[in-house]
Structures are given as C-alpha cells and as structure tokens.
Amino acid sequence: MASSKLNRRKFIKTASLSTIGAGMLSAGTLATDNKDTVNAPPSIKEYRKFGKTGFMVSDFSSGAPMNEAVLRALLERGVNLIDTGETYGNGNSERIIGRVLQDFDRSKIFINSKLYTEKEFPSKKEVLERSYRAMERLQTDYIDCIQIHSAENSAILKDEAFHSAMEQLKKESRVKHVGVSCHGNNWAYDTEESLDTILMSAIEDGRFDVILLAYNFANADIAEKVLEECDKKSIATMIMKSNPVHIFNIFESRMSRLEEEGKEADAFLQAYYDKYRLMDEQAKAFFARYGISSDSELKTAASKYVLSNPLAHTTLWDFQNFEEVDNLLGLSGQKLTGRDEVVLRGFQEHLGHTACRIGCNDCEAACPHHMPVNKILRYNYYFSVKRQEKRAMTKYAGLKLQKPLTVCIDCEGYCEQACKYGVWTRPLLAAAKYNLEMI
Ligand code: SF4
Ligand code: SF4
C-alpha cells in the first residue's frame, strides 16, 4: 500500500487539472508526446495489483465484447480482464466470451459479469439460476466476480437475495468475488444519492471486493474520492467512461447535417440555435488554439489521464475493431504528458459547459419536473460517442419521463442555474432528444 500512496501523491502533484496553474503551461510550450517506435503490434505494457483478488490486471481491459475476433486479438495481446453481463446483447456477449475462452488458459483471465435489477432481486433462487445460466453461456465452471449492475441507490447494496446467493456460490467455488457497478442515480424516482455516496456505502458495507465506476478527467472530483477510499480498503477498481468528450459529434454533425440537407431544426433545437452556433465557434477556437485536428487527441489525453492514476486499476473499453485495438493498446503503460494536461485543462476551461459529469445528479433536485438530466445526457453519450444507437434509444424509452422534454423550452433553466460546473443543459438535452427520439 505504501507504494500505491506514493504513486497517488505523485499523480495528484503532476496530473490534477484543477491544480495546474494557468501560467505554468501554455499552448506555446507544449511537450511532445513519446512515439511508439516498436514495430510489433501494440500490446499490454502494464499490469497492476487488482485489490485483494490476487490478480495482476492489465491496464486496458475489454468492455462487454461483441466481436469474437477482436476479443481473441485482445487476449493474445495481453488483456486479461473481460467485463460482461447478462443484459449485453441478451447474453450474446457472454456467449462470445465462452467460445473464445476455450482457446485460452481460463485461470489467467478475470471474468467480471453483472446482474441487473431495477429495485430488488426477487429471490436467492432467481439470483442463483441467473448466475448458473451466465456460467453456461460463458462455458466456465466459475466467474471471477459477479456484480450488482448499475446500482442506483445504497439500498440495493444490502439486497439479501443477492448476498445470500453470492455466499452460496462462493462456498461452491463458482464465484470468487462480489462487486458493484455504478453510474450515479436518478433523482426523479429515487433517493437523492449520487455515484460517490452510493459507492462510499458499498465500500463501507465491506462485502464488495471489486468496484466498477465512471471516472474521467471531467468528473474527477466525484470519482477520485471513491478511488482513494477503495485504496484504503484494498478494493479492486475498474473504470468505465474514461472519455467524456463528444464535442465534435454534437455540434458538427447536428447542425451541419441540417444545413446541408436544407432542413429546419425542430422547435427544440431551434430554441437553442444561437447557443449551438456559439458552442461550435468555441469548439473550433479551442481546437485551433491547441493545434488539435480531431477529437482523437482529446480521447487519447482523456485515456492517459485515467491511466496515470495508479488507483484506477484497469480501464474498460468497447473495442469495436482492430484499428481501435491497435490505437488503444498503443497507450498501455503511458502516462499523461504536459501537452495532454494543457489540452484537458483547456477543454475544461473553454468547453466544460458541454460535458455533463457522469455520476452527478445535483441539478435534478432543482427541476420542477424531476427530469433525469444525467441519465438522458448519458444515454446521448452512448448514442453519439459509443455509437450504440439502439441501446441508447431503448434505455431512453424506458425512462418514463413525467413530462416531455419540450417543457425545457419555456423553462427558466433551473437545472443550468443549479449546475456547479456551468453545464448548458438545455441545448444538450435538445440534442439528446433529437438523437434519442429520432425526430
Ligand atoms: S448538468 Fe451539471 S448538475 Fe446536472 S447532472 Fe450534469 S453535471 Fe450534474
Ligand atoms: S430546463 Fe427546466 S424543465 Fe428542463 S430539465 Fe432543466 S429545470 Fe427541468
């Protein structure tokens, strides 16, 4: 633990965006990134102690895989953790893993699967049956960790049916560890808890060995206190949503497409047209100022921000193709450079109002219609960044909004006033509506 703390202090000293003085680094004094000069295909360069699981885990890991060949390439290149769950592709992600696992040493791969429930698990019997079915799909005798999928309040962390089933599965040597994942909450229908309060309860509970959370440079103030607490209790950490940036997708594609097609924006988009244009100008100025030609450099810097934190043990990615395998694994073992710091700080200063912080729900208490702002904007992130259109739209359709989003047009914007990060929620919600309702 001593070395972990030392590394942590070093990370805070060198990487915290909030503590980098404005005059310390500027766009004109950017350091040059190291170039990978190795000709071999990129592979994992760093493994980290994974809490008290006894596992050394690769710094990059596979989010729920949906492509067998891509998963094989990842395992061949040293990735040794695969995240999945029964809901991904109706179990197909687990089936893909099951087929691939037959050709690898099972004992060297950590499988994390998840069980979801909206409120509570109906019975221990049902949890057991669902767990055994997951093992059948995975073609394995045991799962390294089973997690409660996307816990939305701390009450679910105490679910008796889940925990008694896990106790039995551990005794049968069918499950080694128990965990929980969390994106935050939904204050429209639930207790007013956010990602940090829910996960602090999980840490306090003592039964969770592995925690999966949304963490990136934009929500660092929310997520890093959870990581620090996990470190004190030797809890393994898995990170999702490392890249919160979707500036190009929102503004370029949305407004340009409408203009090219000669179409009018709908009333909701039209109401915020001036703000979109302003955001677009700010984005272009930001990219020009920092000499960035695409959002891939931002994505790289965002990845390295998380990789540089030793308390973030492994980072999940939805590798879609071999190009992404090469690009992302090429970053394994890398740390934040001076240029990365400048770029990310610049993003926070100039475009921070475009990024709703995953895991924060603060403004939802201010909304008279209890709009689940964070969830809507997260689903739009799935749509526009992860390109998971169908999944995003299905999730949005299941939200049971009290009022249609169009109420925001005439609203005074209580959510914007309540957001301590200054996020321009209304134009972002309008963009989300455009995507998720397929106007
Ligand atoms: S808009 Fe601001 S206050 Fe609301 S959920 Fe996003 S980050 Fe939190
Ligand atoms: S703009 Fe008004 S109605 Fe819409 S989410 Fe914000 S506070 Fe709620």
Side-chain angles (χ1 to χ4, degrees):
M1 285 296 91
S3 68
S4 171
K5 280 179 184 152
L6 185 68
N7 288 339
R8 173 67 192 149
R9 280 198 295 274
K10 194 175 170 198
F11 170 73
I12 290 171
K13 194 174 166 200
T14 59
S16 173
L17 299 175
S18 59
T19 56
I20 297 169
M24 288 172 65
L25 293 162
S26 70
T29 59
L30 301 178
T32 307
D33 285 346
N34 289 331
K35 293 279 184 290
D36 187 358
T37 53
V38 181
N39 288 328
S43 59
I44 294 295
K45 301 283 190 303
E46 186 171 337
Y47 293 86
R48 294 176 177 181
K49 187 178 173 195
F50 199 43
K52 54 195 164 211
T53 65
F55 219 78
M56 291 296 287
V57 70
S58 48
D59 57 357
F60 277 84
S61 49
S62 171
M66 296 306 288
N67 182 314
E68 206 170 309
V70 167
L71 179 59
R72 279 179 198 282
L74 289 170
L75 299 182
E76 281 161 4
R77 305 238 201 128
V79 167
N80 68 356
L81 185 144
I82 311 170
D83 178 62
T84 187
E86 59 185 0
T87 58
Y88 301 120
N90 283 328
N92 279 335
S93 169
E94 290 176 326
R95 289 185 191 94
I96 286 168
I97 297 167
R99 289 195 289 276
V100 173
L101 274 183
Q102 305 315 306
D103 301 327
F104 291 84
D105 182 348
R106 170 71 186 89
S107 67
K108 294 201 165 74
I109 296 166
F110 194 103
I111 305 289
N112 184 67
S113 193
K114 307 194 280 302
L115 302 176
Y116 178 75
T117 186
E118 196 170 341
K119 288 289 173 203
E120 59 186 11
F121 291 98
S123 66
K124 173 183 175 181
K125 182 169 173 284
E126 198 215 70
V127 175
L128 286 172
E129 285 170 359
R130 285 165 65 181
S131 302
Y132 294 135
R133 282 201 294 274
M135 287 176 221
E136 279 169 25
R137 289 189 292 269
L138 287 161
Q139 300 189 50
T140 183
D141 293 336
Y142 70 95
I143 296 177
D144 297 270
C145 180
I146 290 186
Q147 298 188 336
I148 297 174
H149 194 162
S150 207
E152 296 202 341
N153 55 60
S154 31
I156 188 67
L157 304 171
K158 307 279 181 202
D159 192 276
E160 203 40 50
F162 177 80
H163 283 293
S164 56
M166 289 304 124
E167 270 175 37
Q168 181 174 325
L169 290 167
K170 278 185 177 179
K171 279 186 198 141
E172 294 171 358
S173 301
R174 306 296 303 273
V175 166
K176 293 188 175 181
H177 305 284
V178 174
V180 59
S181 72
C182 184
H183 297 94
N185 195 350
N186 181 347
W187 291 7
Y189 335 107
D190 225 324
T191 51
E192 292 192 357
E193 297 177 292
S194 292
L195 177 140
D196 50 339
T197 45
I198 295 167
L199 290 181
M200 288 297 191
S201 297
I203 295 164
E204 183 66 30
D205 181 274
R207 286 176 286 187
F208 298 96
D209 304 319
V210 184
I211 280 180
L212 168 56
L213 70 156
Y215 168 45
N216 53 60
F217 71 90
N219 81 344
D221 60 327
I222 301 167
E224 286 181 0
K225 54 191 166 194
V226 176
L227 294 174
E228 284 162 20
E229 215 48 37
C230 285
D231 186 48
K232 286 182 199 158
K233 301 275 174 71
S234 296
I235 292 173
T237 60
M238 299 164 59
I239 305 302
M240 56 183 165
K241 320 290 186 298
S242 310
N243 167 37
V245 177
H246 51 127
I247 185 76
F248 258 36
N249 293 320
I250 288 179
F251 310 120
E252 285 290 314
S253 61
R254 186 75 55 256
M255 304 314 290
S256 306
R257 200 171 70 211
L258 284 172
E259 282 176 7
E260 278 166 19
E261 292 173 358
K263 286 183 185 164
E264 291 273 310
D266 86 310
F268 203 166
L269 285 179
Q270 198 67 50
Y272 302 109
Y273 192 83
D274 290 343
K275 255 187 169 167
Y276 283 119
R277 293 263 64 101
L278 184 56
M279 282 198 260
D280 198 31
E281 281 167 25
Q282 289 172 338
K284 286 195 169 85
F286 166 78
F287 279 76
R289 174 176 162 78
Y290 293 97
I292 300 172
S293 57
S294 79
D295 55 357
S296 67
E297 187 173 346
L298 271 169
K299 184 178 176 181
T300 297
S303 310
K304 288 200 272 181
Y305 181 85
V306 173
L307 288 173
S308 295
N309 187 342
L311 307 188
H313 299 149
T314 190
T315 323
L316 302 182
W317 289 89
D318 295 325
F319 294 88
Q320 305 283 341
N321 51 50
F322 293 103
E323 190 184 355
E324 285 190 4
V325 172
D326 283 347
N327 290 342
L328 286 165
L329 294 196
L331 298 175
S332 175
Q334 287 200 32
K335 301 291 177 276
L336 209 63
T337 64
R339 176 175 172 82
D340 297 326
E341 289 176 348
V342 170
V343 167
L344 295 182
R345 184 162 51 78
F347 181 89
Q348 293 280 59
E349 282 175 10
H350 303 296
L351 295 170
H353 56 278
T354 64
C356 175
R357 276 60 171 178
I358 297 176
C360 164
N361 305 92
D362 289 354
C363 65
E364 294 172 20
C367 174
H369 307 296
H370 300 290
M371 255 345 148
V373 174
N374 198 278
K375 271 198 171 175
I376 295 170
L377 296 181
R378 176 156 59 87
Y379 295 161
N380 192 45
Y381 168 91
Y382 293 157
F383 186 101
S384 52
V385 179
K386 299 182 105 189
R387 306 290 167 97
Q388 297 172 343
E389 290 89 351
K390 193 173 165 201
R391 177 180 173 222
M393 292 167 74
T394 306
K395 281 182 165 290
Y396 176 79
L399 275 178
K400 304 181 202 111
L401 301 179
Q402 291 183 12
K403 297 271 182 183
L405 265 178
T406 45
V407 295
C408 300
I409 296 177
D410 298 321
C411 173
E412 290 184 29
Y414 305 107
C415 52
E416 287 187 352
Q417 293 159 26
C419 179
K420 67 181 174 190
Y421 306 103
V423 175
W424 289 359
T425 50
R426 288 182 292 173
L428 296 177
L429 287 168
K433 181 179 187 297
Y434 182 91
N435 284 336
L436 301 172
E437 294 181 5
M438 283 297 275
I439 298 168

